[in-house]
Amino acid sequence: MDDLLREFVTETNESLDVVDVELVRFEQDPNNAKILDNIFRLVHTIKGTCGFLGLPRLEALAHAAETLMGKFRDGAPASTEAVTLILATIDRIKTILESLEREQREPEGGDTDLISSLERMVERVGSAGTHAESQHTVGTLVSQVLERPLRPDENSLDDLERAFRETLADAPVIKPKSAPAPADGAARDDEAAKGANQSIRVTVGTLEQLMTMVSELVLTRNQLLEIVRRHEESEFKTPLQRLSNVTAELQEGVMKTRMQPIGNAWQKLPRVVRDLSNELGKKIELEMQGAETELDRQVLDLIKDPLTHMVRNSADHGLETPEQRRAAGKPEHGQIRLSAYHEGGYIIIQVADDGRGLDTNRIKAKAVAQGLVSEIDAEKLTESQIHKFIFAPGFSTASEVTNVSGRGVGMDVVRNNIDQIGGTIDVKSVAGAGLGFTIKIPLTLAIVAALIVEAAGHRFAIPQLSVVELVRARSGGEHRIERIKDTKVLRLRDKLLPLVGLSHLLGLDKDVGDIDGSFIVVTQVGSQTFGIVVDGVFHTEEIVVKPMSSKLRHIAMFSGNTILGDGAVIMIIDPNGVAQAFGNAVGSQLAASDAAEGGRHADVDEASTSLLVFRAGSTQPKAVPLSLITRLEEIDAQKIELSNGRHMVQYRGHLMPLVSMSEDVRVKGEGSQSLLVFSDGSRSMALIVDEIIDIVEDNLDIQVGSDNPGVLGSAIVRGHATEIIDVGHFLPLAFEDWFRRKEQPVRDRTRTVLLVDDSPFFLNMLTPVLQAAGYQVTAVGSAQEALALLGNGHVFDVAITDIEMPDMDGFQFAEAVRSDPRTTELPIIALSSVISAEAIDRGRRVGFHDYVAKFDRQGLIAALKEQTDVGRAA
Amino acid sequence: MSETADHNLREYVTALIGGQLFGLPILRVQDVFAPERLTRVPLAPPEIAGVLNLRGRIVTLIDMRRRLGLGQRENESPAMAVGVESRGESYGLLIDSVGEVLKLDHMACEPNPSNLDPRLASVSTGIYRLDGQLLMVLDVDRVLDIAVKAAAA
């Protein structure tokens, strides 16, 4: 009886899901008799089987619902109200089924509330409907069912009925209230027999076991093939070939048993959308394409909830009300489109609506308010970059955000779910025209494509999905590994990519040795890109993922293990784990490379600056802000040529002058020579140094000034007195016109800049930078001086000011400038290491035109260009 | 232990680890195998010798010498492993050599001496005095349990 009951519950649940969908369809298309027939038949079957199993509550409910539907069949109009009532009944039946499954019996309680509502509805519909006599309705209907031919997809239900009939003898016979039911079954005998064996139920455990066995078979086959390969003429060859083919087909077949159409995950959506559209007073069409697309059932389970969530979001927040849509010139009916298709080893699922799209400004404001990005950086982001913030952890979990940000409720959760199954999600939104999500997930979790790599003599698998590219590092080649003390970076197309050695990460060696000629697996996890250094790369292989032993699951570096074709067990690297380890082990390196790339995260650590510490000439360490350096080079000393009394080296097709820091620094005659390369446009010069020591994050506080040209002063860096180098001094030594040539482009006049900063270091550092960018710079050490200049009638195109200054700070300076009618229009760019929302707010009020982080050289140039161009246009 | 009732008899698979004789309840022992193609797992607790493929299952191998604090293996004579199962997972206990199956009277089992190395005491349920040597009875779950703690640390 237990088995019978369980099967009944499963089957009925499936039928009810279909009824859900069909009812929604019927509501939209009330004249479609076919849909109604289908619903009617399903409910009738449920009613019938309930009678057999002695489930009075279910039977009564199903009966009442059936009666109401009978009215529809007789031509009564299907009102929304009536359909809602039937749906409520279906929900009640589901609840009862749940406890039936748990406790093997119907729960206590009655359903008179629903049943009487249903009956009232029957009366109302009956009187409002045609003249059909209601008393005879039920009887007529049943006999109609008897005559109806079955559709092929209904086999499994018939199967169930047949099972009931067969067990009828020993089951407690409850006289069915609807007498025709047994006869109904008997009439279907032929049909049932035909389709009975077309589908069977198998437990997942059985399939898993089968899968394991097949994997084992594949491995054995591979071993056999290996043996036969060594024996040229073997009589095993032909049968083994056959075994091989059969095994491959078997593997494929077993894989197939795990596949289910994605439509199974969509089944509940029409109902969800219908309920929402009623609730919200919106008109919504749900379109589904590619429901037959198959994917692994495990993946299917995991994707179900995120999809429902997204559709809900679209209906709730994305689509406008009919009035709003009319006003926007759109059709009243909003559309939500779901589609799925295969591409490579992945399934692509798209959820799109034609609603209002994301509110870029709100998201931006929220992102800034939550500290996900600084206001200045936010301004530089493209729309699509801003939209991605909806996936940021915690972005919209706060309840108040729901109202503010409008869209994106819980999208971080959705993204998490998708991340977990190794998928990716992308968003595309066009304001006013709609929003679309594209999800890419592997077809199966059990089998993934992986790159097999070697590190310290061990093999590992890296999932292909997170691998961006493979790079071979060679000295002197295009891609070269740079070493900055213990940290390594790769120069890859003008970007510095942080590197980590896999063997180092896994504690397999102490990271010595030659990494030249090693392979770099460029890996991307979320927005983080990094290189994993491995000793060798073998091939790509489809691997069967097996969970880690519970004793090893704590190791974040591995997501699982697998058995390779040759029978060996290897670990599967978890790119997420590596990314995390990156944060700890080489965090400073990351920060450094970020700073070098234009300081997108310049505000991460407000007070500290990335400094490159090196030695040149003396033993005393020297330092220069990393952001000023374009590259670090290590060249063969023999390549250094002497031309016209100056040291040169051929570099990227150009001659690059080398400049010594002082007389003490000698160009080496042999071995390798370390260089700091500074570039501007196509020009580069290099500073010769003896040794690059490290990259450090520290406060840059010049405590002792210097009269020595080329040295700004001394600061304490990591506890050592360190000379801070004045790059501006050396640049003209390489090219005399370094600061002038930029003026060559035709311009009516050179733009003038007033630079205000109390720190001589910044004045000295920024002046050459600005000059290099073609500005005429007047540098002053205080706000008062600057005001004095302005008061004397000096005219500037733009002013750049530090915020933190003694006596009069940047805010006060700006206020003073604004209050003077002569300078009220002067654009002011604020320069600060402290970027807080508060400061930005205040800056806005006092009239800063822009806000730039102190070491964001490119950002400053861009801001300057914008302000002066505006000035010219005006 | 001559005339004892059958229901008092317990069967043990004996194993030699670091010169000491241990007994594993036979009901817990799935098989005995010679480990081949062991894969070391980086960052794993020291007790975990590695993983290997045993007929399509991935088996986690516990180095019993390390687990029991009995020193490193010196001569590289091929080790043996006793296959056990716990919570649906397969483990292999790496031992020096496997001995015979002994039937011992449960009543003859004596409690651990109070001065026993705590590391051994924590995994042993008692001691039998055999002819000429002592046999320590291992509790398989406790042997595997410590590995979890080590892992969590």
Side-chain angles (χ1 to χ4, degrees), chain A residues 216 219 458-460 505-506 508 546 548-555 557-558 561 563 566-569 571, chain B residues 37 39-45 48 51-53 55-58 60 87 89 91 144-145 147-148 151-152:
Chain A
E216 173 67 8
L219 293 177
H458 296 253
R459 283 182 295 176
F460 297 95
L505 206 57
L506 300 178
L508 292 172
K546 305 207 172 205
M548 288 296 270
S549 155
S550 57
K551 312 287 180 233
L552 300 169
R553 218 163 278 160
H554 65 288
I555 306 173
M557 293 300 155
F558 306 126
N561 40 202
I563 301 175
D566 64 5
V569 180
M571 303 293 130
Chain B
R37 306 197 63 165
T39 303
R40 213 183 114 193
V41 182
L43 309 176
I48 310 267
V51 291
L52 57 79
N53 168 19
R55 296 186 291 278
R57 296 198 69 165
I58 294 181
T60 308
R87 296 192 186 102
E89 292 181 319
Y91 295 93
L144 296 176
D145 188 41
V148 174

Side-chain angles (χ1 to χ4, degrees), chain A residues 107-126:
Chain A
E108 300 294 321
D111 310 293
T112 40
D113 51 334
L114 264 177
I115 291 173
S116 59
S117 311
L118 282 164
E119 279 166 354
R120 270 201 307 279
M121 186 62 75
V122 168
E123 275 166 33
R124 230 164 64 206
V125 171

Side-chain angles (χ1 to χ4, degrees), chain A residues 68 80-90 114 117-118 121:
Chain A
L68 180 54
T80 305
E81 204 185 340
V83 172
T84 306
L85 197 54
I86 294 174
L87 286 172
T89 312
I90 303 286
L114 264 177
S117 311
L118 282 164
M121 186 62 75

Side-chain angles (χ1 to χ4, degrees), chain A residues 739 755 762-773 775 777-779:
Chain A
F739 294 137
L755 180 60
F762 281 109
L763 287 182
N764 286 329
M765 194 182 74
L766 280 177
T767 304
V769 168
L770 297 178
Q771 284 171 344
Y775 294 93
V777 183
T778 305

Side-chain angles (χ1 to χ4, degrees), chain A residues 549-734:
Chain A
S549 155
S550 57
K551 312 287 180 233
L552 300 169
R553 218 163 278 160
H554 65 288
I555 306 173
M557 293 300 155
F558 306 126
S559 59
N561 40 202
T562 187
I563 301 175
L564 284 185
D566 64 5
V569 180
I570 67 167
M571 303 293 130
I572 303 166
I573 299 288
D574 183 354
N576 291 300
V578 176
Q580 261 171 31
F582 240 94
N584 307 331
V586 281
S588 59
Q589 186 182 327
L590 262 181
S593 80
D594 272 350
E597 280 166 24
R600 269 195 64 181
H601 303 286
D603 54 332
V604 171
D605 193 350
E606 295 169 347
S608 71
T609 307
S610 279
L611 294 170
L612 180 88
V613 183
F614 60 95
R615 233 185 288 278
S618 61
T619 50
Q620 193 191 9
K622 297 181 169 59
V624 61
L626 189 66
S627 56
L628 296 178
I629 300 173
T630 314
R631 287 176 194 294
L632 302 170
E633 285 287 350
E634 198 84 13
I635 57 163
D636 187 344
Q638 290 179 343
K639 287 191 175 155
I640 300 175
E641 299 166 45
L642 204 61
S643 158
N644 198 17
R646 298 170 67 169
H647 290 290
M648 298 275 184
V649 65
Q650 288 185 31
Y651 184 73
R652 304 194 160 199
H654 293 278
L655 271 182
M656 178 169 73
L658 307 183
V659 175
S660 287
M661 295 219 40
S662 68
E663 298 295 310
D664 306 331
V665 187
R666 288 283 151 79
V667 173
K668 289 185 188 168
E670 56 184 23
S672 66
Q673 175 70 59
S674 298
L675 301 174
L676 313 183
V677 179
F678 300 87
S679 294
D680 186 21
S682 62
R683 286 201 182 188
S684 300
M685 62 81 75
L687 217 52
I688 297 168
V689 300
D690 294 336
E691 182 196 4
I692 291 166
I693 300 172
D694 204 353
I695 290 177
V696 300
E697 290 274 326
D698 214 331
N699 269 325
L700 186 53
D701 180 13
I702 296 178
Q703 300 183 341
V704 183
S706 166
D707 297 330
N708 201 353
V711 178
L712 292 173
S714 293
I716 296 172
V717 177
R718 285 278 162 93
H720 297 285
T722 304
E723 288 181 355
I724 307 297
I725 297 307
D726 176 11
V727 178
H729 172 76
F730 296 102
L731 300 184
L733 295 181

Side-chain angles (χ1 to χ4, degrees), chain A residues 504-536:
Chain A
H504 178 61
L505 206 57
L506 300 178
L508 292 172
D509 63 24
K510 288 297 148 232
D511 194 26
V512 283
D514 193 13
I515 50 169
D516 209 48
S518 50
F519 290 89
I520 291 146
V521 183
V522 181
T523 310
Q524 187 167 16
V525 176
S527 59
Q528 212 175 332
T529 307
F530 50 86
I532 303 176
V533 183
V534 298
D535 301 336

Side-chain angles (χ1 to χ4, degrees), chain A residues 418-432:
Chain A
I418 291 167
D419 274 355
Q420 266 171 19
I421 51 177
T424 59
I425 181 165
D426 205 8
V427 60
K428 200 169 192 169
S429 165
V430 180

